[in-house]
Amino acid sequence: MKKVLLASACLFALAAPASAADLAARPYTKAPVAVASVYNWTGFYIGIVGGGAWENASGDPKMKGGFVGGTAGYNWQTGNVVFGVEADGAWADVSATATGASVVPGFGVVTATATSKTDAMGTVRGRIGYAVDQVLFYGTGGYAWIDNKISLSALGVTASDSKWHSGWTVGAGVEAFFAPQWSVKGEYLYRSLGGETYFSGALPTGTLNFHTVQVGVNYHFGGPVVAKY
């Protein structure tokens, strides 16, 4: 028995190093590389926009009110610089009403009411800005228009006439992605619209100037997020 134990011990001693040598070394696994999301603004987008407008005039009453509508545009990005074109159109309720005494031949002095109301407005603009990842700071300018109606009421009779005013606009804004394909923006625009003549030349108007502040939400097609390792 003693010889058997000694032989077994020797066999175990010889086998142990061999078994240890047969064990594979634990493989080294490199930690995964972190992925950073870089926002690229290039592409087509559509959205909704709404806000408020008030007339830039020295006296009262001043036209003021709100508007809501849609927008569409396209951006090109090179480096941090973003170029774009954008068009928007909105239903509007921007108005002012004045009531006063007026002399009507055959009727004498009567109370008359005049109302000027912008029913629709829009722009077609260029944009240029600087992108800091998912945030874009930009300036904008281009063509502006409104559809305006003037109504005159006296002695229970109302007459109305509508005209299309064209002009220009300039402003600035900031836009930011809050999801991979969604952005929100805030924008200020100054709009200057040329005068028109209402009621077959009887009532000429001067230039209409508006301050507008608007916010919007845009959906960007094509997925503007690019993975960067």
Side-chain angles (χ1 to χ4, degrees), residues 60-63 95-99 113-116:
D60 287 320
K62 299 178 182 178
M63 295 177 67
S95 63
T97 298
T99 301
T113 300
T115 299
S116 180

mmCIF file of all heavy atoms in Angstrom, residues 60-63 95-99 113-116:
data_model
loop_
_atom_site.group_PDB
_atom_site.id
_atom_site.type_symbol
_atom_site.label_atom_id
_atom_site.label_comp_id
_atom_site.label_asym_id
_atom_site.label_seq_id
_atom_site.Cartn_x
_atom_site.Cartn_y
_atom_site.Cartn_z
ATOM 1 N N ASP A 60 -52.384 104.634 -32.367
ATOM 2 C CA ASP A 60 -53.367 103.573 -32.162
ATOM 3 C C ASP A 60 -54.601 103.864 -33.020
ATOM 4 O O ASP A 60 -54.879 105.025 -33.344
ATOM 5 C CB ASP A 60 -53.750 103.491 -30.680
ATOM 6 C CG ASP A 60 -52.644 102.885 -29.825
ATOM 7 O OD1 ASP A 60 -52.015 101.924 -30.309
ATOM 8 O OD2 ASP A 60 -52.401 103.387 -28.719
ATOM 9 N N PRO A 61 -55.370 102.838 -33.397
ATOM 10 C CA PRO A 61 -55.151 101.442 -33.005
ATOM 11 C C PRO A 61 -54.087 100.769 -33.875
ATOM 12 O O PRO A 61 -53.933 101.113 -35.050
ATOM 13 C CB PRO A 61 -56.516 100.809 -33.245
ATOM 14 C CG PRO A 61 -57.092 101.617 -34.376
ATOM 15 C CD PRO A 61 -56.608 103.019 -34.171
ATOM 16 N N LYS A 62 -53.373 99.812 -33.304
ATOM 17 C CA LYS A 62 -52.374 99.041 -34.029
ATOM 18 C C LYS A 62 -52.907 97.647 -34.302
ATOM 19 O O LYS A 62 -53.558 97.048 -33.456
ATOM 20 C CB LYS A 62 -51.089 98.928 -33.211
ATOM 21 C CG LYS A 62 -50.416 100.249 -32.898
ATOM 22 C CD LYS A 62 -49.187 100.028 -32.036
ATOM 23 C CE LYS A 62 -48.518 101.344 -31.670
ATOM 24 N NZ LYS A 62 -47.340 101.144 -30.782
ATOM 25 N N MET A 63 -52.623 97.157 -35.474
ATOM 26 C CA MET A 63 -53.012 95.789 -35.799
ATOM 27 C C MET A 63 -52.192 94.812 -34.961
ATOM 28 O O MET A 63 -50.973 94.971 -34.816
ATOM 29 C CB MET A 63 -52.802 95.512 -37.290
ATOM 30 C CG MET A 63 -53.694 96.329 -38.211
ATOM 31 S SD MET A 63 -53.343 96.037 -39.970
ATOM 32 C CE MET A 63 -53.878 94.317 -40.126
ATOM 33 N N SER A 95 -55.573 92.186 -36.530
ATOM 34 C CA SER A 95 -56.523 93.220 -36.935
ATOM 35 C C SER A 95 -56.516 94.413 -35.997
ATOM 36 O O SER A 95 -55.949 94.377 -34.904
ATOM 37 C CB SER A 95 -57.933 92.627 -36.993
ATOM 38 O OG SER A 95 -58.346 92.191 -35.709
ATOM 39 N N ALA A 96 -57.176 95.471 -36.459
ATOM 40 C CA ALA A 96 -57.402 96.683 -35.667
ATOM 41 C C ALA A 96 -58.697 97.317 -36.145
ATOM 42 O O ALA A 96 -59.034 97.260 -37.338
ATOM 43 C CB ALA A 96 -56.242 97.658 -35.805
ATOM 44 N N THR A 97 -59.434 97.938 -35.206
ATOM 45 C CA THR A 97 -60.708 98.576 -35.528
ATOM 46 C C THR A 97 -60.740 99.985 -34.949
ATOM 47 O O THR A 97 -60.320 100.203 -33.807
ATOM 48 C CB THR A 97 -61.883 97.758 -34.961
ATOM 49 O OG1 THR A 97 -61.888 96.458 -35.557
ATOM 50 C CG2 THR A 97 -63.214 98.440 -35.257
ATOM 51 N N ALA A 98 -61.225 100.896 -35.755
ATOM 52 C CA ALA A 98 -61.371 102.290 -35.318
ATOM 53 C C ALA A 98 -62.799 102.744 -35.581
ATOM 54 O O ALA A 98 -63.374 102.461 -36.638
ATOM 55 C CB ALA A 98 -60.389 103.184 -36.054
ATOM 56 N N THR A 99 -63.368 103.434 -34.614
ATOM 57 C CA THR A 99 -64.733 103.958 -34.735
ATOM 58 C C THR A 99 -64.718 105.464 -34.471
ATOM 59 O O THR A 99 -64.079 105.924 -33.512
ATOM 60 C CB THR A 99 -65.679 103.270 -33.737
ATOM 61 O OG1 THR A 99 -65.688 101.863 -33.996
ATOM 62 C CG2 THR A 99 -67.093 103.813 -33.865
ATOM 63 N N THR A 113 -67.293 102.836 -38.765
ATOM 64 C CA THR A 113 -66.298 101.904 -38.238
ATOM 65 C C THR A 113 -65.426 101.382 -39.376
ATOM 66 O O THR A 113 -65.941 100.979 -40.434
ATOM 67 C CB THR A 113 -66.961 100.711 -37.527
ATOM 68 O OG1 THR A 113 -67.750 101.197 -36.442
ATOM 69 C CG2 THR A 113 -65.926 99.735 -36.990
ATOM 70 N N ALA A 114 -64.141 101.411 -39.174
ATOM 71 C CA ALA A 114 -63.188 100.887 -40.150
ATOM 72 C C ALA A 114 -62.371 99.774 -39.491
ATOM 73 O O ALA A 114 -61.857 99.952 -38.388
ATOM 74 C CB ALA A 114 -62.266 101.986 -40.660
ATOM 75 N N THR A 115 -62.264 98.645 -40.186
ATOM 76 C CA THR A 115 -61.507 97.496 -39.681
ATOM 77 C C THR A 115 -60.510 97.038 -40.731
ATOM 78 O O THR A 115 -60.863 96.882 -41.916
ATOM 79 C CB THR A 115 -62.418 96.314 -39.310
ATOM 80 O OG1 THR A 115 -63.323 96.718 -38.287
ATOM 81 C CG2 THR A 115 -61.612 95.125 -38.823
ATOM 82 N N SER A 116 -59.277 96.842 -40.312
ATOM 83 C CA SER A 116 -58.248 96.278 -41.177
ATOM 84 C C SER A 116 -57.830 94.930 -40.581
ATOM 85 O O SER A 116 -57.457 94.861 -39.398
ATOM 86 C CB SER A 116 -57.035 97.202 -41.274
ATOM 87 O OG SER A 116 -56.044 96.649 -42.120
#
